[in-house]
């Protein structure tokens, strides 16, 4: 190992990186854009607060109180409309998918029930809704649940059956917090795979490796420089991704020693994999195509963008043979659920994969023209 | 040990196969310290294959190759810093500038005080010092490649087609650089398609054809011993002269500038032809009688065209 040689290679790599705008875009900006886009799309879902329009035709103290209760629940953002309007027409005109109506006589019925304590007394609230709108079903379910609570309060009897909820996660996590570890794993994978393919196929095809074979640089120094450069890039991408996530989405993630462990394993696994690919597909273009062919299924099927549990059974089984799955799950185990045992398990699987692939990669990579 | 001083490169029964193709067929030759040695051969003759085996880029199928008396397949680490290589079609990192490229290779060789600016001046790249590699023209890339080959002040310089793609000026500048290196006592191993390059630079030329050396000698001796005939050139000659010469039993070749070349076995044939033309009253502007040049030797030895732009023409200078 020659530090001077490795240093010289790093200087060339880093200069080439920041002078190549597309490289900066795909390795740093692209994952950040993904986070911003997906984070923003799914942000609302995390809050689960719906717009609800209420028309109070009763206009009494009791009806006002009911509206107040709905407002206070923070599941709904309430707007009210004047009692003299036609609710259905108003919904159409203003593109509202649901209007809750409190018909006149609400207070009267309520008083009757309270005073006479008639167990069969009931009162109908009306709902004007657009069945073609997708959010309506969820909204009505939430509304139903809230009315159930209100009914039960009125009857004064506690429910006999009720659920006690215990999350298997240390805390409630949001989609974005699920998403960030996946993006880190993906960004490191693409960067390494393409880095390895670029270095080993393109430079070979251009004859740069032939020239290097006539200099004192050794095979080991060459591979070490590449790995080191990929580490630097991976670390940079990870830091940028985390900074953006904290700044924009105020994520709460566990940053501990597992993070560098998984990033390092990710680097070794996919640099090794890239080196093997370049040996199999000797032309630079076909090697890049082969890298894409592996990367895209890996990105979509290994749980980068959505949980593997959401996929059909056979795809879930398939996900378990994808190396990226173990990086994803490992990073989530450590960063989201702080589950060291699970993280260790995933680290072991990807660790073995990385070791095997990397050794094979070293064995198949040469500076020389041919190996006959 | 004296052998090592004498011959910096020794090749014995070198053979290289690519599958069924025998690219280099039982080559043996030596290169002496301080000489300019040229490989002359057509496309696919095996020049690059041979040179790259010596440079350790490729591995031989069989045979023995020694550099400074060291086996190239085993002792690479011991001599690699003593050689400089310009591979065929030199290429480098796209986004790295001329100066940074030289600096990079200087670092690989551990040459702290390499004279980068001197090398840039030598390659005539001064105003391109901070240009990125991918923005250089083909000829400038090639010249940078030559400078890179010299960055470690090597004892032996390998140049695989150093002037291919250069304009005539740049080519002569490179020749001047190479002659300068030779005067400094460097050994130069050159491959080329250009006969005049080999003729101008080389102390000895090996003519390579289909993986074999068909002749190896100084350019002078090669022309001397492989072509004992003369070439008569008549410039701007009248059409009918050609007919007269043909009738005398010679084979004149006419180019599209109304020049006629005739290959003559004996010196007194010159007089005969001139007499016949004068008798017929045909005129010509000038004439030239000379020994055949290396290209003609090359063509007669290999029986194949060297390069397209030289093929068919006799002694294009
Ligand atoms: N890596 C390779 N694999 C298979 N065949 C090869 C390889 N390299 C060269 N050859 C073949 O070996 C022969 C010699 O090639 P080489 O490159 O040594 O020729 P050359 O004299 O340098 O030609 P040129 O003047 O075109 O550079 C050619 O027929 C070529 O096709
Ligand atoms: Mg060649």
């Amino acid at each position: 190992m020659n530090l001077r040689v490795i240093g010289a290679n790093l200087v060339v790599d880093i200069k080439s990186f920041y002078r190549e705008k597309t490289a900066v875009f795909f390795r740093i900006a692209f994952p950040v854009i993904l986070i911003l886009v997906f984070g923003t799309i799914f942000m609302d879902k995390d809050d689960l607060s719906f717009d609800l329009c209420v028309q109070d035709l009763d206009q009494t103290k009791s009806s006002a109180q009911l509206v107040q209760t709905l407002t206070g629940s923070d599941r709904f953002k309430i707007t009210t409309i004047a009692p003299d309007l036609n609710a259905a027409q108003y919904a159409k005109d203003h593109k509202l998918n649901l209007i809750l109506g409190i018909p006149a006589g609400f207070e009267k019925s309520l008083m009757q029930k309270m005073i006479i304590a008639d167990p069969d007394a009931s009162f109908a609230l009306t709902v004007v809704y657009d069945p073609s709108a997708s959010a309506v079903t969820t909204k009505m379910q939430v509304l139903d649940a809230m009315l159930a609570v209100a009914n039960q309060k009125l009857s004064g009897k506690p429910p006999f059956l009720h659920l006690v909820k215990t999350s298997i996660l240390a805390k409630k996590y949001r989609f974005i917090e699920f998403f960030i570890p996946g993006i880190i794993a993906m960004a490191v994978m693409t960067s390494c795979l393409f880095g390895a393919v670029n270095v080993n196929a393109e430079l070979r095809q251009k004859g740069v490796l032939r020239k290097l074979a006539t200099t004192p640089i050794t095979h080991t120094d060459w591979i070490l420089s590449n790995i080191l450069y990929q580490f630097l890039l991976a670390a940079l991408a990870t830091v940028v991704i985390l900074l953006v996530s904290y700044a924009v989405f105020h994520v709460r993630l566990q940053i501990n020693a597992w993070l560098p462990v998984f990033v390092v394993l990710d680097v070794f696994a996919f640099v090794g994999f890239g080196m093997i690919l370049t040996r199999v597909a000797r032309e630079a273009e076909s090697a890049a195509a082969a890298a894409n062919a592996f990367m895209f299924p890996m990105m979509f099927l290994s749980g980068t963008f959505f949980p593997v549990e959401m996929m059909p059974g056979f795809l879930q089984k398939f996900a378990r043979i994808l190396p990226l799955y173990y990086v994803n799950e490992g990073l989530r185990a450590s960063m989201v659920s702080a589950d060291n045992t699970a993280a260790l398990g995933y680290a072991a699987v990807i660790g073995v994969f990385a070791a095997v692939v990397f050794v094979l990669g070293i064995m198949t990579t040469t500076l020389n023209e041919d190996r006959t | 040990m004296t052998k090592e001083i004498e011959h910096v490169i020794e090749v014995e029964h070198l053979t290289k196969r690519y599958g069924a193709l025998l690219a280099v067929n039982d080559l043996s030759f030596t290169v002496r310290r301080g000489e300019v040695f040229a490989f002359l051969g057509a496309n696919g003759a095996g020049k690059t294959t041979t040179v790259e085996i010596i440079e350790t880029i490729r591995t031989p199928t069989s045979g023995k190759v020694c550099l400074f008396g060291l086996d190239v397949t085993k002792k690479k680490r011991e001599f690699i810093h003593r050689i400089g290589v310009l591979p065929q079609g030199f290429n480098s990192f796209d986004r790295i500038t001329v100066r940074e490229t030289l600096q990079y290779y200087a670092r690989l060789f551990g040459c702290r005080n390499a004279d980068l600016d001197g090398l840039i001046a030598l390659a005539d790249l001064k105003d391109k010092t901070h240009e990125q590699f991918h923005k250089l023209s083909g000829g400038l890339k090639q010249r940078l490649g030559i400078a890179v080959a010299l960055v470690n002040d090597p004892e032996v310089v390998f140049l695989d087609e150093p002037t291919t793609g250069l304009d005539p000026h740049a080519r002569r500048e490179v020749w001047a650089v190479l002659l300068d290196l030779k005067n400094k006592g460097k050994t130069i191993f050159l491959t080329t398609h250009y006969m005049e390059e080999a003729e101008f630079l080389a102390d000895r030329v090996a003519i390579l054809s289909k993986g074999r050396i068909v002749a190896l000698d100084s350019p002078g001796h090669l022309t001397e011993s492989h072509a004992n005939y003369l070439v008569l050139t008549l410039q701007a000659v009248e059409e009918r002269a050609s007919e007269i010469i043909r009738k005398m039993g010679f084979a004149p070749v006419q180019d599209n500038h109304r020049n006629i070349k005739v290959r003559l076995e004996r010196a007194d044939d010159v007089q005969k032809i001139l007499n016949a033309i004068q008798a017929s009253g045909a005129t010509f502007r000038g004439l030239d009688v000379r020994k055949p040049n290396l290209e003609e030797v090359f063509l007669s030895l290999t029986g194949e065209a060297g390069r397209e732009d030289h093929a068919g023409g006799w002694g294009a200078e």
Side-chain angles (χ1 to χ4, degrees):
Chain A
M1 196 173 80
N2 186 328
L3 289 179
R4 184 194 67 232
V5 168
I6 291 174
N9 276 314
L10 279 183
V11 168
V12 162
D13 286 337
I14 292 167
K15 279 180 178 161
S16 300
F17 174 71
Y18 74 72
R19 286 173 189 170
E20 178 81 54
K21 299 293 172 280
T22 51
V24 178
F25 178 80
F26 277 107
R27 291 182 185 179
I28 307 294
F30 186 60
V32 166
I33 290 171
L34 275 183
I35 289 174
L36 292 177
V37 169
F38 279 81
T40 314
I41 291 175
F42 291 103
M43 181 103 100
D44 294 344
K45 218 169 188 167
D46 293 329
D47 300 348
L48 273 184
S49 124
F50 294 107
D51 293 318
L52 182 68
C53 191
V54 180
Q55 186 179 39
D56 182 1
L57 299 169
D58 196 38
Q59 293 292 337
T60 56
K61 218 175 187 172
S62 303
S63 64
Q65 211 166 6
L66 179 61
V67 174
Q68 195 56 49
T69 315
L70 292 174
T71 314
S73 76
D74 75 57
R75 300 305 300 272
F76 289 115
K77 276 184 236 128
I78 305 287
T79 49
T80 51
I81 59 169
D84 53 336
L85 291 170
N86 177 332
Q89 193 56 47
Y90 186 87
K92 259 187 214 160
D93 294 346
H94 293 81
K95 298 208 163 51
L96 299 172
N97 51 30
L98 194 145
I99 297 180
L100 176 71
I102 307 172
F106 172 67
E107 191 174 51
K108 220 163 110 194
S109 306
L110 189 64
M111 289 304 167
Q112 237 163 1
K113 179 177 164 74
M114 302 282 264
I115 296 159
I116 311 170
D118 175 2
D120 296 328
S122 78
F123 185 79
L125 296 174
T126 63
V127 169
V128 175
Y129 73 102
D130 171 4
S132 67
S134 56
V136 156
T137 335
T138 325
K139 256 193 218 186
M140 295 226 270
Q141 278 166 4
V142 175
L143 204 55
D144 266 345
M146 293 187 67
L147 291 179
V149 173
N151 279 332
Q152 175 230 312
K153 266 190 191 147
L154 284 174
S155 68
K157 286 177 202 145
F160 178 63
L161 293 174
H162 62 270
L163 289 174
V164 177
K165 295 171 189 163
T166 310
S167 170
I168 57 163
L169 302 180
K171 62 184 176 59
K172 171 177 172 286
Y173 74 95
R174 298 185 295 153
F175 171 77
I176 189 75
E177 284 153 1
F178 162 88
F179 193 58
I180 301 297
I183 288 294
I184 292 176
M186 184 208 77
V188 173
M189 171 188 76
T190 47
S191 174
C192 290
L193 210 46
F194 277 110
V197 166
N198 172 39
V199 160
N200 295 297
E202 201 181 312
L203 291 184
R204 173 180 304 282
Q205 200 173 355
K206 286 173 64 182
V208 177
L209 295 192
R210 269 192 303 147
K211 169 71 195 180
L212 289 178
T214 68
T215 70
I217 189 169
T218 62
H219 178 222
T220 320
D221 288 343
W222 177 247
I223 290 174
L224 274 178
S225 324
N226 288 327
I227 274 283
L228 216 61
Y229 167 61
Q230 294 302 338
F231 277 146
L232 291 180
L233 269 195
L236 177 67
T238 306
V239 167
V240 170
I241 288 171
L242 286 177
L243 284 180
V244 170
S245 322
Y246 274 96
V248 180
F249 299 108
H250 311 290
V251 292
R252 281 164 301 161
L253 294 164
Q254 312 276 329
I255 308 292
N256 51 34
W258 283 117
L259 177 62
V261 166
F262 279 106
V263 168
V264 164
L265 292 177
D266 204 358
V267 169
F268 270 108
F270 290 104
V271 167
F273 196 57
M275 291 196 293
I276 295 173
L277 272 190
T278 22
R279 198 66 208 180
V280 179
R282 303 204 58 164
E283 306 280 298
E285 273 94 57
S286 50
N292 272 319
F294 276 97
M295 235 173 47
F296 279 100
M298 197 106 87
M299 253 153 65
F300 289 105
L301 299 179
S302 67
T304 301
F305 297 107
F306 42 81
V308 169
E309 292 73 48
M310 281 170 61
M311 301 194 304
F314 73 98
L315 279 183
Q316 289 195 28
K317 285 214 183 78
F318 181 68
R320 278 171 179 74
I321 64 164
L322 299 175
L324 189 63
Y325 168 82
Y326 295 92
V327 184
N328 281 334
E329 294 303 310
L331 278 176
R332 279 179 194 134
S334 68
M335 295 173 81
V336 181
S337 32
D339 183 344
N340 286 326
T341 327
L344 185 64
Y346 293 122
V349 176
I350 189 67
V352 169
F353 176 81
V356 170
V357 160
F358 191 66
V359 168
L360 285 178
I362 289 179
M363 280 161 46
T364 53
T365 302
T366 48
L367 291 173
N368 292 45
E369 183 73 357
D370 50 35
R371 291 152 50 81
T372 43
Chain B
M1 234 27 207
T2 44
K3 200 177 161 203
E4 191 200 335
I5 309 286
E6 266 290 87
H7 302 293
V8 284
I9 302 170
E10 293 158 285
V11 175
E12 282 168 40
H13 303 294
L14 175 65
T15 297
K16 175 71 180 183
R17 282 179 188 280
Y18 296 108
L21 178 78
L22 191 56
V24 174
N25 185 359
D26 194 28
L27 283 196
S28 297
F29 63 93
T30 55
V31 177
R32 300 182 200 119
R33 180 176 294 280
E35 79 171 330
V36 178
F37 185 89
F39 252 11
L40 189 57
N43 290 127
K47 303 181 296 294
T48 299
T49 301
T50 308
V51 173
E52 292 196 345
I53 289 171
I54 304 172
E55 296 160 351
T56 78
I57 297 175
R58 305 186 195 209
T59 45
T61 307
S62 66
K64 191 163 188 246
V65 179
C66 289
L67 247 178
F68 308 109
L70 302 162
D71 189 327
V72 294
T73 57
K74 299 192 184 89
K75 302 280 177 74
K76 175 178 177 177
R77 297 284 139 224
E78 291 175 36
F79 62 74
I80 202 74
H81 55 278
R82 294 166 73 185
I83 67 168
V85 171
L86 171 77
Q88 183 169 3
F90 173 77
N91 234 319
S92 191
F93 306 98
D94 274 345
R95 305 276 162 178
I96 300 303
T97 68
V98 166
R99 196 167 202 289
E100 288 165 349
T101 303
L102 284 165
Q103 200 163 36
Y104 170 71
Y105 283 100
R107 280 193 193 139
L108 291 192
F109 281 101
C111 307
R112 255 170 230 288
N113 32 25
D115 178 16
L116 301 187
D117 296 312
L119 287 169
I120 289 170
L122 179 134
D124 200 11
L125 286 166
K126 257 196 181 124
D127 41 342
K128 300 284 179 184
T129 306
H130 300 294
E131 194 79 286
Q132 291 179 9
F133 185 77
H134 68 117
K135 290 188 181 155
L136 298 177
S137 76
L140 297 185
K141 285 178 180 170
Q142 187 77 357
R143 270 144 64 177
L144 174 59
I146 294 172
V148 167
L150 302 176
V151 82
N152 55 327
D153 195 23
E155 293 167 47
V156 182
V157 189
F158 293 90
L159 304 153
D160 197 349
E161 299 187 19
T163 62
T164 297
L166 296 192
D167 64 51
H169 264 293
R171 173 170 302 157
R172 270 156 188 82
E173 276 163 25
V174 168
W175 289 358
V177 169
L178 298 187
L179 282 182
D180 192 44
L181 285 175
K182 176 187 157 64
N183 291 338
K184 283 184 188 149
K186 311 279 185 200
T187 309
I188 298 174
F189 193 137
L190 187 75
T191 82
T192 185
H193 301 135
Y194 297 112
M195 316 296 153
E196 67 271 34
E197 186 162 293
E199 215 158 16
F200 184 80
L201 290 173
D203 296 314
R204 289 193 304 147
V205 177
I207 296 180
L208 207 62
S209 175
K210 301 190 177 94
R212 299 194 71 106
I213 292 181
V214 291
L216 196 170
D217 213 328
S218 69
H221 277 128
L222 278 177
T223 46
E224 201 80 16
S225 53
H226 289 274
N228 19 19
Y229 56 89
L230 294 170
V231 180
L232 166 69
T233 308
L234 295 167
Q235 285 147 1
V237 74
E238 274 178 56
E239 201 76 33
R240 57 200 160 106
S242 192
E243 200 48 41
I244 296 164
I245 297 169
R246 191 166 297 122
K247 278 192 184 135
M248 293 171 74
F250 300 104
V253 178
Q254 184 157 16
D255 69 13
N256 50 10
H257 303 292
R258 296 202 295 133
N259 295 336
I260 288 179
K261 289 185 184 185
V262 197
R263 176 176 166 158
L264 305 171
E265 304 300 330
R266 289 192 309 275
D268 49 357
D269 287 339
V270 176
Q271 200 55 50
K272 277 189 202 158
I273 289 177
L274 291 180
N275 287 343
I277 290 175
Q278 229 156 17
S280 75
T283 58
F284 54 90
R285 201 194 301 150
L287 70 89
D288 167 29
V289 183
R290 57 167 177 78
K291 284 286 221 174
N293 61 16
L294 192 55
E295 175 168 7
E296 286 145 343
V297 174
F298 172 78
L299 290 174
S300 72
L301 276 175
T302 59
E304 56 193 21
R307 266 178 70 90
E308 231 173 273
D309 53 5
H310 286 268
W314 277 16
E317 259 128 323

